[in-house]
Amino acid sequence: MTHPFLDLAPLSAARFASIEDRVARLLGTEQDVVIMQGEALLPLEGAIRGTAGPGTTALNVITGPYGQTFGDWLRDCGATVIDLAVPFHTAVTAARIREAFAEHPEIDFVSLVHAEAATGNTNPVAEIGEVVKERGALFYLDAVASVGAEPVLPDAWGVDLCVIGAQKAMGGPAGVSAVSVSERAWARMAANPRAPRRSYLSLLDWKARWIDGGRAALPHAPAQLEMLALEACVERIEAEGPETVMRRHARAAAATRAGAVALGGGLEPYVDRAAEAAPVATTLRVPAGVVASELVGRALAVDPALPLAAGGGALAKEMVRVNHYGVDATRGAVRGGLVALGTALTESGLEVDMTAALRAVEEAWA
């Protein structure tokens, strides 16, 4: 049996390197970019284990569930971890980061999530980067959800390790991911005796066997279909224009927030300030007496393909998430999600104003 996906010529090292170069251009970075052959958790964990150890004092910012995961990895590496947790309905500020440095001048590593799709907030990385740069700490950033939806600029922001994934705003595959690595980060890894080596988690292996060899020979067989899908999604962003793609996401976020407020029925934005709301997803607090997961279940009965989800863990009772990223960063997806939520709220005995909600969507989108 033959199939076009099964009979492709092997992906060459030159093609692989060209895809890395396109990702680097998307990020506006001169740093090395390594495309790792797995979902973004692979470089997220590999970058922490490569640069953190018993001598590390890390400021770990928690604005959602991934920040909690990073703290666990850092402690597992033997680092001293100072958690800076802020309520999930808000964002951290550069002032809070500055205060943490004043209290703990020994901090030499900062971990931060740019946008938390799970909680719907986004953090002011450019301002935070200025503080981190002043203090000379290594800056690690999870930009998996934000890339494509808002600017991600590792060089301009002083980010030493910037991890991205294509499966959200970029509208690409989940099976490969990328990390940009500064010279300072490479030096920290090289000096870290606990950094993974001869391991799937190892960034140093990629440097030694791929980058230092002039990217002439791949260290192992790449995930070919995922690499081609990544190339295709970057091409699509280049053709549409990154600014246009980001503008679509910003409009989707503004329209969802405005439409939900106009809809009524007790729905409220989960993130208090619109300026702190991520363009990749809008989270909504359900009214008292309504269970978010049950509301989403009723909404998806209207259309199972709608980009709606309940919050994870304890948030499943109180939060609804409207995922307007990638192919769903459209007016139609926003309208469909609000109509389905309005129908589900009506079935719960609550009054909504569907006409006002759809009018608010149109006004915000314009």
Side-chain angles (χ1 to χ4, degrees), residues 112-185:
L112 176 71
V113 178
H114 187 184
E116 287 269 13
T119 50
N121 55 32
T122 192
N123 292 302
V125 182
E127 298 168 21
I128 292 168
E130 288 297 323
V131 179
V132 177
K133 192 185 303 182
E134 288 171 12
R135 298 293 184 147
L138 205 73
F139 194 7
Y140 163 100
L141 184 70
D142 171 355
V144 174
S146 56
V147 64
E150 53 188 310
V152 176
L153 302 168
D155 292 10
W157 297 344
V159 177
D160 295 287
L161 295 155
C162 182
V163 177
I164 67 166
Q167 69 266 35
K168 288 190 165 63
M170 289 178 67
V176 289
S177 48
V179 54
S180 65
V181 187
S182 72
E183 289 300 323
R184 290 198 322 147

Side-chain angles (χ1 to χ4, degrees), residues 183-219:
E183 289 300 323
R184 290 198 322 147
W186 284 129
R188 178 83 72 101
M189 283 184 228
N192 181 9
R194 293 195 176 194
R197 291 170 170 82
R198 296 170 297 282
S199 163
Y200 203 58
L201 284 170
S202 177
L203 283 164
L204 286 175
D205 287 358
W206 277 96
K207 183 167 183 359
R209 300 178 60 194
W210 172 241
I211 295 171
D212 291 348
R215 300 191 299 175
L218 286 162

Side-chain angles (χ1 to χ4, degrees), residues 8 42 72 118 125 159 181 184 205 254 259 290 314 327-328 341 351:
L8 295 169
L42 175 62
D72 292 339
V125 182
V159 177
V181 187
R184 290 198 322 147
D205 287 358
V290 173
V327 296
D328 290 317
L341 287 172
E351 268 189 46

